[in-house]
Amino acid sequence: MNGFQIAYNPDAIFYDEQPLTLASSWNQRKRWVKGNLQVFFRYRKQLWRGLWRDHRFVCYAFY
């Protein structure tokens, strides 16, 4: 939105911690969904404009 470019760093180190129980996995998923919804509703106008007016599909993360 602000002209920043995002790139992959091949030298980056990623750490991953998996939840051990179904309950902790469920709580983690709820936090992720809540965060995604908060970001969407905060930036929905800019995302909509980036997608339809500027035809920039890079503003969306599809997973």
Side-chain angles (χ1 to χ4, degrees):
M1 290 184 323
N2 297 323
F4 293 103
Q5 292 219 339
I6 299 172
Y8 173 73
N9 181 1
D11 298 326
I13 299 172
F14 297 95
Y15 296 97
D16 188 17
E17 187 174 326
Q18 298 294 325
L20 299 176
T21 64
L22 180 62
S24 62
S25 178
W26 180 260
N27 289 333
Q28 181 184 48
R29 180 64 61 171
K30 286 193 313 187
R31 284 194 309 271
W32 288 351
V33 169
K34 182 179 178 181
N36 285 334
L37 289 173
Q38 287 174 343
V39 168
F40 174 76
F41 285 114
R42 181 172 183 175
Y43 295 106
R44 67 181 174 257
K45 291 179 184 177
Q46 292 94 332
L47 291 169
W48 184 260
R49 184 175 56 235
L51 181 62
W52 294 110
R53 191 184 75 186
D54 301 335
H55 302 290
R56 292 182 307 150
F57 293 98
V58 72
C59 62
Y60 287 91
F62 298 102
Y63 35 140

